[in-house]
Each structure stands twice: as structure tokens, then as C-alpha cells.
Amino acid sequence: MNASKTNKSTVVVALGGNALLRRGDEPSFANQLDNIKIAAKAIAEIAKEYRVVIVHGNGPQVGLLALQNLAYDKVPPYPLDVLGAESEGMIGYMLAQELQNKLPEKDVTTLLTRIEVDCDDPSISDPTKFVGPVYDEAEGRALAEKNAWTMKRDGEYWRRVVPSPIPKNIIDKRSIETLLEAGQVVIACGGGGIPVCKCESGFKGVEGVIDKDLVATLLAKQLAAEKLLILTDAPAVFLNWGKENQQALRSVGPSELEQYQFPAGSMGPKVDAVVDFAEFGGRAYIGALDESLDVLAENCGTCVSLDFEAVPA
């Protein structure tokens, strides 16, 4: 595992797009900025104790850009990889500015990051990644028919789903390492990064939005980070979420966590991510944004580690 010249541990922080634009919020700049200020305050506290790389989601934002894209019908719509790059720049700028305001002694850099995926990834024919705003069923079905979108139920609402290819390699990893070694707070792989695949001329963009939690895990592994922290709107991983018998999982081994089923469009990828990183030998966490330091201190949230694997009798 990796540590800086100041002996600080490295933590990769995955920040959900819904934490930056909360479900049901008007998708305005002002609302996003208010939420980003909350996120920046929490992450700034982490950055005082750790080397930090931030990976953020972009589901609501890239979906909004796609809607804005459709409104201008004089040119063909931009592909999702380009819209992803736009959202990565937008959110990265807002995060960097607010973090710099909280940490004037540190440099903060946003890096547009390309992620290699498979051109024939199965998700292309079976999209699961939620993007954009929520709709009631009638409006969702109407938009699906009008725009040839795939829509799926997201709780009590309906949302558009798009392909979410599995990340294979972070092309710009060396740049991230260089910035970290220079003592910077780095914002990278935003929105899951820009999906590209190999072609005869080098690389080309892929229509899709990569899951940011899976990319955060890949980044944490490639950086040999000690910790992976997934911040979300849930205070922990729960069994029977939303029911009277719901139960928070606090300290759990990856093999136990793999036994449970979680929704594919929300907690499922987060659980897959922490299981993967824990099996790699790191320590992985899922918890609430406003409890981030306490989650890392294992006072709340869910911690996943090989240390918690059951010992055979």
C-alpha cells in the first residue's frame, strides 16, 4: 500500500452524483453549488489527515446535459462520452474551487481522465446506469418513446438508463500519481471517467457512463491506496433497507457481504466496489457525507475488510 513522503495514508473518496444534486432538487447551478460546498467542507477535513483523490459521480448532471443537447435540434446530439467530459469539467471546477477555498494552503487539480473499456461490453445492450432527473411513470414512458430511451424504475420514480461499461484501465494514472506526489488534492475519474476503447488509430470514445464506484476501486488498486471511502446518502449498508426490520452492517468481511443482494442501480455497485477493494487487501467504507471522518475512524458507517472474515471452525 502507498503512503506519501509525509507518511500520510492515501484515501480514494467516491462522491455520488446524487450527493451533488439531490433527488428531486431543481437541477440549477445554485442547488449544485450549495451541495458542493457541503461536500467540500467534509472532504477538506479528510484532506488534513490523508492524501486524497476524489472521484465524483455525474448521473443527474450528464442526464441534464443530454436533455439540453436534445433541445438544440439543428445538429445531431453529442455522444455520451463527450457529455461525460463536459460534466467532469463542470463538477471538477466547482469542487476544486470550493476545496481551494477551504484549503488555501493546498493545490487542488481537476484532471479529465480517460478510462479504457471494452468496445463490446455487455452493458451496451443491457443498460443499467441511471442518469438525469426523475419522472413519474407516464412522463417517463412518453420520453422513452419520443427519444428512444430506455427507462427503468428508480424507487417510486422512473429514470433514464444508459450503458455502463466495466472500467479496465485508467489511461491517465501516471498524471494522477505525479499530482499526488506533489502534495496536491486531486479530482480525477469524474463521472466514472471518459469511456474509450482501443481501435486501429489508438482510442475512440464509447457511448456510456461508467459507474464511479467501480472506477474509484480500480483507481485505489492502481494507486495502491490504503483506503476507499464511498460517500452516499445512506449512513451505512443496510439489509432490508426501508423495512421495519432493516439492519445496518457495520464491520463485515467481503465474503459475507457477497452473500446478500442489493439493487443494481444504486447500492449494488457500491457493494461490488468495496468487496473488490477489500479482497485486494485494502480497507473499504460506505457511509454518509457528513460523517466522513467518523466513517474512516470506524465509528459509524460500514467497513469492509479481510480482518472481519469469519474464521472457519
Side-chain angles (χ1 to χ4, degrees), residues 11 13 41-43 45-47 49-50 227-231 234-236 249-251 283-304 308:
V11 57
V13 178
K41 181 179 179 180
I43 295 170
E45 292 303 309
I46 299 173
E49 299 188 22
Y50 297 89
K227 298 185 177 186
L228 169 66
L229 172 62
I230 296 179
L231 296 174
L249 297 172
R250 292 278 293 109
S251 301
R283 217 163 179 87
Y285 305 83
I286 295 176
L289 176 65
D290 60 355
E291 298 176 327
S292 53
L293 275 179
D294 280 334
V295 174
L296 285 171
E298 301 178 21
N299 295 324
C300 58
T302 298
C303 178
V304 186
F308 305 130

Side-chain angles (χ1 to χ4, degrees), residues 254-266:
S255 61
E256 178 187 349
L257 200 53
E258 284 184 302
Q259 297 175 17
Y260 306 121
Q261 296 293 320
F262 299 93
S266 54

Side-chain angles (χ1 to χ4, degrees), residues 4-312:
S4 72
K5 296 173 183 176
T6 58
N7 295 319
K8 286 187 176 180
S9 298
T10 300
V11 57
V12 173
V13 178
L15 184 64
N18 287 321
L20 305 177
L21 184 59
R22 295 174 184 176
R23 193 183 305 271
D25 278 0
E26 178 185 86
S28 66
F29 171 79
N31 277 340
Q32 292 184 73
L33 183 58
D34 285 344
N35 291 329
I36 279 174
K37 286 181 177 180
I38 295 170
K41 181 179 179 180
I43 295 170
E45 292 303 309
I46 299 173
K48 293 175 183 177
E49 299 188 22
Y50 297 89
R51 280 201 322 176
V52 174
V53 186
I54 304 159
V55 178
H56 62 77
N58 71 340
Q61 293 83 2
V62 76
L64 178 61
L65 287 173
L67 285 170
Q68 293 173 337
N69 208 17
L70 288 172
Y72 187 72
D73 58 5
K74 299 184 184 303
V75 297
Y78 285 10
L80 279 171
D81 57 305
V82 173
L83 297 181
E86 289 183 14
S87 71
E88 189 174 5
M90 174 186 72
I91 299 169
Y93 151 66
M94 296 167 75
L95 268 173
Q97 181 153 280
E98 293 307 318
L99 276 168
Q100 191 83 76
N101 290 342
K102 299 291 183 184
L103 298 166
E105 73 283 2
K106 282 186 173 290
D107 290 324
V108 183
T109 295
T110 297
L111 182 69
L112 289 178
T113 317
R114 296 163 297 158
I115 309 296
E116 183 181 352
V117 302
D118 191 333
C119 288
D120 300 315
D121 189 282
S123 75
I124 293 171
S125 58
D126 183 22
T128 58
K129 175 66 176 175
F130 288 116
V131 299
V134 296
Y135 305 98
D136 62 34
E137 182 173 355
E139 190 176 13
R141 291 188 183 279
L143 285 168
E145 182 175 353
K146 177 182 178 182
N147 300 317
W149 288 351
T150 302
M151 306 287 286
K152 291 185 179 179
R153 187 177 290 279
D154 183 12
E156 62 181 301
Y157 301 102
W158 288 73
R159 286 179 80 187
R160 183 187 178 190
V161 289
V162 299
S164 186
I166 299 296
K168 301 294 185 183
N169 184 46
I170 298 169
I171 296 173
D172 302 297
K173 178 178 71 74
R174 281 185 294 180
S175 297
I176 298 170
E177 289 175 328
T178 299
L179 292 167
L180 272 178
E181 287 298 327
Q184 298 203 24
V185 176
V186 185
I187 303 164
C189 305
I194 305 162
V196 299
C197 68
K198 287 183 179 178
C199 62
E200 291 182 0
S201 60
F203 289 97
K204 64 178 181 180
V206 174
E207 279 268 9
V209 177
I210 303 170
D211 186 90
K212 66 100 180 38
D213 297 315
L214 299 184
V215 169
T217 301
L218 179 61
L219 178 61
K221 290 163 69 174
Q222 292 192 345
L223 293 177
E226 286 83 6
K227 298 185 177 186
L228 169 66
L229 172 62
I230 296 179
L231 296 174
T232 182
D233 53 3
V237 178
F238 285 83
L239 300 180
N240 305 312
W241 171 249
K243 299 179 181 179
E244 290 185 1
N245 64 336
Q246 72 178 25
Q247 174 189 352
L249 297 172
R250 292 278 293 109
S251 301
V252 61
S255 61
E256 178 187 349
L257 200 53
E258 284 184 302
Q259 297 175 17
Y260 306 121
Q261 296 293 320
F262 299 93
S266 54
M267 188 57 75
K270 295 174 177 57
V271 168
D272 291 343
V274 294
V275 164
D276 186 9
F277 188 61
E279 290 178 338
F280 177 72
R283 217 163 179 87
Y285 305 83
I286 295 176
L289 176 65
D290 60 355
E291 298 176 327
S292 53
L293 275 179
D294 280 334
V295 174
L296 285 171
E298 301 178 21
N299 295 324
C300 58
T302 298
C303 178
V304 186
S305 170
L306 291 173
D307 291 346
F308 305 130
E309 291 282 40
V311 179

